[in-house]
Amino acid sequence: MIEIRNLAKKFGTKTAVDDVSFKVEKGEILGFLGPNAAGKSTTMRMITGFIPPTSGTAVIGGHDILTESIPARRKIGYLPENAPVYPDMTVFDYLAFCAEIRGFRGGKRSRAVEETLEKCFLTDVKRQTINTLSKGFRQRVCFAQAILHDPEYLILDEPTDGLDPNQKHEVRLMIKEMAARKAIILSTHILDEMDAVCTRAIIISRGRIVADDAPANLKTRSNLHGAVSLTLQGGDPEAFVAKAARIDGVASAKILEKEDDAAKVRIFPKAPDAALLNTILVALSESDCRASDVFVEQGRLDEVFRRITS
Amino acid sequence: MRTTDSMTNILAITKREFFGYFGSAVAYVFIVIFLMLLGFFTFYISNFFEMGQADLQGFFQWHPWIFLFLIPAVAMRLWAEERRMGTIELILTFPITVWEAILGKFLAAWAFIGIALALTFPLVITAAYLGNPDLGAIFCSYVGSFLMAGAFLSVGIMTSSFTRSQVVSFIIAIVICLFFILAGFPPVIKALSGWSPAWLVDLVSYLSFLTHFMSIERGVLDLRDIVYYVSVIAFMLFINGVVIQNRRTA
Ligand SMILES: Nc1ncnc2c1ncn2[C@@H]1O[C@H](COP(=O)(O)OP(=O)(O)OP(=O)(O)O)[C@@H](O)[C@H]1O
Ligand SMILES: [Mg+2]
């Protein structure tokens, strides 16, 4: 378990992280979300022992990062922001160096390196100097370094930054596969990624936690949650909207856009889970419009994100 | 257990840094410049062949001045480069202490300079062939030169931790090293003794790399001189550690 206790960091008079506390258990994938400069990287740097906190601490698998730094760091795999690696080493030499630092010797060392190369699809470039690799491959080399020693705790700062869609998918799969045995904290700006990968999301803004919930629950906070969107063809959409707005349980209904024959309409319920769809469909069949598309909104993370953090 | 762990950690860092020198052309350029400068000074300025000295004084006397420029160049990348590239974030979150990282880097650079120094060996063979040199004194001078190189290097690695710019590190290192040389440079000592008390003159000249090097060069490997160099190295590496641990950023 990773336990973050009242972590705070001040740079001069500026507070980058302000009293952040949470726990991550094994099996969890915690998505760390927030606008630029929210303090995500700073928090991760404190958890991994790179910079000392102004106050508070992080306890990694029972070891305090401040007082038992080395045993704590042994249990962590860390992918820093921008994936720093030594440019003038070959991929193999670099990973061999990391393995040695992690205490692998002799045959064990080469085995750990080879396995990791394979897992991260780096076998083909293992003799290549890192500065001749593309950005995505460099990112993968750094990711490989983080999982090389099969750590119990993974801290990944924007792990899919700079990867192509296929690689993003591979990395997400890998993270999900590893999750059962590990506690993982990852930061990201991609909301779909968080939705697809994370079991829990923490949103921070200006250094403070503003939301801590499962992604599905976060979505229900959206204004859109439960709204019904329709695309109508022909007829008189204005009449339909006026009628829909009078239905019991509907808060409002409006035309989003209108083009030639087609109109996009959205109907918002008063309470998110009122089962409105049926009544709306009845109203629809009584009107002279034909629907080409009906959709009940789940809620949008980006909308929730914007509302919480601005 | 802890100490063997420490040793292997230090060794891992040392290996990486050491082969890092040879991975780029820098190592070869450095060695060539070092040997050419030494050769030039020894043969053309000191007139090595005509001196007929048994202790190679005309060769060793140039070491501090050549080290002054070349060793800060060897040391400048050790931390500055790590900070500039952000790799410091990895090395400092590995399960090793700051001291292991510093020692590993220091030893790698020191070993590298040791190799450059060893490559001057043909000169000793030439001297032995031409005359009858005092091999004991020469051995002492090599040890002294290597220790002095360590002191220069410790200044360089310390200034490298101040900044992410190699150039800035290089310049600050030269300024500090120059002070350590000049404090024992005979003309400076003479000027100083004209107006300041004897204890101050002694203290200043005691602090100099040059004073202790000259005393070793005479053929006596005095424990006090060794202690001096080791203390300078330990002090500089200590400052290095404090700087790295208290840095606010990469
Ligand atoms: N070394 C530093 N010195 C001064 N201020 C800093 C330092 N490091 C970070 N900050 C400030 O702390 C705040 C949080 O930065 P941080 O890098 O943690 O943001 P982030 O959430 O990771 O943003 P991004 O999404 O852009 O990566 C920012 O305002 C930043 O300017
Ligand atoms: Mg960041």
Side-chain angles (χ1 to χ4, degrees):
Chain A
M1 182 175 75
I2 296 183
E3 190 182 349
I4 277 85
R5 294 187 191 144
N6 307 99
L7 214 50
K9 182 73 190 177
K10 283 195 170 133
F11 292 108
T13 56
K14 179 176 178 181
T15 306
V17 175
D18 190 3
D19 195 21
V20 165
S21 304
F22 59 87
K23 288 180 191 174
V24 194
E25 305 279 352
K26 282 195 183 155
E28 273 190 299
I29 306 179
L30 176 72
F32 219 45
L33 245 69
N36 292 129
K40 303 182 292 296
S41 299
T42 306
T43 305
M44 291 183 155
R45 286 174 171 160
M46 290 191 283
I47 299 174
T48 54
F50 177 58
I51 50 175
T54 307
S55 63
T57 187
V59 181
I60 287 102
H63 301 289
D64 190 308
I65 192 70
L66 295 178
T67 56
E68 295 172 76
S69 185
I70 302 291
R73 283 191 249 164
R74 249 187 221 123
K75 299 189 166 203
I76 298 179
Y78 179 36
L79 169 68
E81 200 169 29
N82 302 323
V85 277
Y86 295 111
D88 44 14
M89 296 180 93
T90 65
V91 173
F92 186 91
D93 288 347
Y94 175 66
L95 291 179
F97 162 68
C98 297
E100 209 163 322
I101 288 276
R102 297 286 184 182
F104 292 89
R105 296 276 169 277
K108 261 196 186 153
R109 190 185 76 166
S110 3
R111 216 166 321 126
V113 173
E114 290 293 347
E115 268 170 28
T116 312
L117 284 170
E118 198 127 321
K119 252 191 237 165
C120 301
F121 306 97
L122 290 166
T123 312
D124 292 341
V125 297
K126 72 176 181 183
R127 295 280 163 224
Q128 211 168 320
T129 313
I130 290 175
N131 62 8
T132 66
L133 295 176
S134 70
K135 177 175 181 283
F137 271 74
R138 242 173 286 162
Q139 174 87 8
R140 263 192 270 164
V141 173
C142 202
F143 184 81
Q145 163 279 132
I147 62 167
L148 178 94
H149 52 298
D150 194 23
E152 290 173 60
Y153 305 102
L154 264 183
I155 315 281
L156 308 170
D157 202 344
E158 302 190 24
T160 58
D161 183 43
L163 299 183
D164 69 40
N166 298 341
Q167 283 306 322
K168 276 197 169 87
H169 182 69
E170 289 296 342
V171 167
R172 285 174 199 163
L173 279 187
M174 229 189 305
I175 291 174
K176 274 180 153 177
E177 259 168 39
M178 291 187 296
R181 294 165 291 117
K182 299 185 197 303
I184 301 176
I185 304 180
L186 65 86
S187 79
T188 179
H189 287 295
I190 310 169
L191 294 161
D192 292 335
E193 173 168 294
M194 194 206 63
D195 201 15
V197 179
C198 301
T199 58
R200 184 175 149 206
I202 285 187
I203 301 182
I204 71 169
S205 173
R206 297 191 201 95
R208 286 176 167 279
I209 295 182
V210 290
D212 179 352
D213 213 334
N217 293 342
L218 277 180
K219 279 193 208 163
T220 65
R221 299 197 195 179
S222 166
N223 288 333
L224 281 178
H225 176 65
V228 180
S229 299
L230 309 98
T231 310
L232 302 177
Q233 306 283 348
D236 184 2
E238 276 89 356
F240 171 69
V241 164
K243 192 171 167 191
R246 285 193 302 272
I247 296 175
D248 223 15
V250 167
S252 67
K254 63 183 175 194
I255 298 180
L256 298 177
E257 52 184 88
K258 203 168 168 190
E259 213 173 86
D260 303 336
D261 236 10
K264 277 201 167 132
V265 174
R266 186 170 289 156
I267 301 165
F268 294 91
K270 278 200 182 105
D273 28 36
L276 278 179
L277 192 57
N278 259 329
T279 353
I280 291 173
L281 289 179
V282 170
L284 180 67
S285 67
E286 286 165 0
S287 80
D288 52 359
C289 303
R290 281 168 298 116
S292 62
D293 179 339
V294 180
F295 180 65
V296 182
E297 303 274 358
Q298 295 287 300
R300 299 233 176 107
L301 278 176
D302 58 349
E303 191 235 348
V304 178
F305 181 82
R306 228 178 354 250
R307 194 150 43 82
I308 301 186
T309 57
S310 59
Chain B
M1 186 55 202
R2 246 338 270 152
T3 47
T4 56
D5 271 5
S6 268
M7 296 289 286
T8 50
N9 289 341
I10 292 170
L11 199 68
I13 301 279
T14 302
K15 259 177 21 193
R16 198 201 77 74
E17 293 285 346
F18 184 78
F19 292 112
Y21 280 116
F22 290 97
S24 61
V26 181
Y28 305 100
V29 171
F30 171 83
I31 288 177
V32 168
I33 292 180
F34 176 71
L35 295 178
M36 280 189 350
L37 280 179
L38 257 184
F40 174 77
F41 283 117
T42 308
F43 290 106
Y44 289 92
I45 315 281
S46 292
N47 277 322
F48 181 67
F49 290 118
E50 285 147 40
M51 274 183 322
Q53 269 174 352
D55 57 1
L56 296 192
Q57 211 252 330
F59 163 68
F60 284 111
Q61 76 181 45
W62 299 109
H63 285 202
W65 303 99
I66 290 175
F67 286 166
L68 172 63
F69 291 98
L70 287 187
I71 291 187
V74 171
M76 65 188 182
R77 62 187 274 272
L78 287 171
W79 285 111
E81 187 71 351
E82 202 97 49
R83 294 181 69 154
R84 194 180 58 78
M85 293 188 308
T87 44
I88 190 171
E89 191 160 350
L90 278 179
I91 202 169
L92 294 184
T93 53
F94 279 149
I96 61 171
T97 63
V98 168
W99 307 110
E100 287 162 3
I102 291 174
L103 261 182
K105 282 169 177 287
F106 176 77
L107 291 178
W110 208 12
F112 173 65
I113 293 166
I115 285 179
L117 208 53
L119 288 176
T120 62
F121 202 65
L123 204 93
V124 179
I125 298 174
T126 315
Y129 177 73
L130 292 177
N132 191 18
D134 177 353
L135 289 179
I138 291 175
F139 175 76
C140 283
S141 300
Y142 266 111
V143 172
S145 177
F146 186 59
L147 281 171
M148 182 172 62
F152 276 100
L153 183 63
S154 66
V155 172
I157 191 174
M158 173 191 76
T159 62
S160 177
S161 70
F162 292 167
T163 160
R164 18 170 77 220
S165 155
Q166 298 196 34
V167 177
V168 172
S169 158
F170 179 72
I171 293 170
I172 303 177
I174 287 189
V175 171
I176 297 177
C177 290
L178 189 63
F179 166 80
F180 273 107
I181 291 187
L182 288 182
F185 193 47
V188 173
I189 296 288
K190 207 177 287 170
L192 202 60
S193 47
W195 52 269
S196 57
W199 63 266
L200 186 64
V201 178
D202 285 347
L203 179 73
V204 168
S205 82
Y206 175 80
L207 282 178
S208 172
F209 293 167
L210 216 53
T211 317
H212 297 270
F213 183 55
M214 289 190 295
S215 112
I216 294 178
E217 237 189 332
R218 277 181 223 119
V220 235
L221 210 49
D222 193 326
L223 187 65
R224 277 174 301 179
D225 297 320
I226 297 177
V227 167
Y228 165 79
Y229 281 122
V230 172
S231 321
V232 169
I233 292 170
F235 177 76
M236 297 297 169
L237 296 189
F238 173 72
I239 302 286
N240 185 167
V242 171
V243 170
I244 289 291
Q245 277 174 327
N246 290 290
R247 120 222 75 86
R248 292 179 5 175
T249 60

